[in-house]
Amino acid sequence: MNLIAEFDIVSPTLRRSIRAVPGTVVTTEDFRRVDGSLHFVFWVDTDDAEAFEAAMGGDETVASFSLLATVDGRRLYRATLSESGESGVLYPSMATLDVTLLDATATEDGTRVRARLPSREALWGLREACEERDVPFHLRGVFGLESVEAGRYGLTESQREALVAAHEAGYYEVPRETSLATVADRLGISTQALSARLRRGQSNLIEHTVVNRD
């Protein structure tokens, strides 16, 4: 049995850096174990990249970091996590429990995670791993793969909600009938968070329609 779980955690990893610049959104790209160190690869949407990097320089969860790329204002970083930084991530437990990370987006309020699990036991194992790390865990929903229809085109619920809200408000009309900030206010999230959700959602739609038409 395979399941899709959506849950929120409040991890100390990069928390100081994210909170240093309100509205910053960090989207996980990858975790890699290299020579014993855990490398975290992630995208950052922020209004002040210099302030974010300065905060990372003093973040006790980050041993070192480097900028890998800049694309349309977004920045891709690789950070080598410190011991305290590793203690706040679920990657080792997810690997042990055969859990696949599908999506993880962090804001100053916490991290929204979407993952594929082999069983409910694996989900309980993740929750226990959070308890051991003193990381708050809030389960939002569990779905069977059969309920994650092809009609959702690989979208997370938050991405679908953002796309629908933007469409209904006229954000995609030419000329636009509303602003990104207005749609974000309606959803109760920051402009940066909405921008990240729309980009990820549009990418998923393209991948599951235009790219994979067969």
Side-chain angles (χ1 to χ4, degrees):
M1 175 176 64
N2 280 279
L3 304 168
I4 300 295
E6 294 181 357
F7 54 91
D8 296 332
I9 61 174
V10 182
S11 168
T13 306
L14 278 182
R15 182 65 42 211
R16 176 177 177 179
S17 302
I18 294 172
R19 287 178 173 171
V21 186
T24 293
V25 179
V26 170
T27 305
T28 297
E29 181 74 15
D30 194 15
F31 284 100
R32 303 170 187 170
R33 180 71 69 177
V34 180
D35 296 329
S37 297
L38 186 59
H39 291 190
F40 178 28
V41 182
F42 55 94
W43 288 96
V44 175
D45 289 89
T46 183
D47 287 335
D48 193 335
E50 291 185 1
F52 180 80
E53 289 189 359
M56 275 204 294
D59 194 321
E60 65 278 3
T61 66
V62 178
S64 63
F65 70 91
S66 58
L67 176 64
L68 302 180
T70 300
V71 181
D72 295 332
R74 303 178 77 207
R75 293 190 168 207
L76 180 67
Y77 291 94
R78 179 179 60 238
T80 300
L81 298 182
S82 65
E83 184 176 346
S84 63
E86 284 199 37
S87 69
V89 300
L90 292 177
Y91 169 76
S93 297
M94 294 177 78
T96 300
L97 295 166
D98 196 25
V99 174
T100 301
L101 178 66
L102 301 178
D103 187 68
T105 303
T107 66
E108 54 197 290
D109 297 323
T111 304
R112 177 69 52 81
V113 181
R114 185 170 179 262
R116 182 169 63 247
L117 307 97
S119 65
R120 287 188 177 272
E121 287 72 20
L123 177 59
W124 309 145
L126 280 182
R127 186 170 63 180
E128 290 175 1
C130 285
E131 292 176 352
E132 292 171 358
R133 293 168 169 79
D134 292 324
V135 172
F137 176 98
H138 173 67
L139 181 63
R140 299 184 63 86
V142 181
F143 315 93
L145 285 182
E146 66 277 4
S147 68
V148 184
E149 304 173 353
R152 291 182 64 182
Y153 302 108
L155 298 173
T156 66
E157 189 58 36
S158 61
Q159 290 166 4
R160 178 183 179 280
E161 179 186 35
L163 287 166
V164 170
H167 172 72
E168 292 180 344
Y171 180 74
Y172 293 111
E173 296 296 325
V174 181
R176 285 178 175 165
E177 298 176 355
T178 190
S179 67
L180 197 66
T182 299
V183 179
D185 286 342
R186 292 182 181 179
L187 293 173
I189 60 177
S190 69
T191 302
Q192 289 81 6
L194 175 59
S195 177
R197 290 182 189 180
L198 290 178
R199 275 198 295 269
R200 297 278 291 191
Q202 290 161 8
S203 177
N204 284 338
L205 284 173
I206 292 170
E207 180 179 352
H208 287 78
T209 55
V210 178
V211 176
N212 295 319
R213 287 180 294 180
D214 297 333

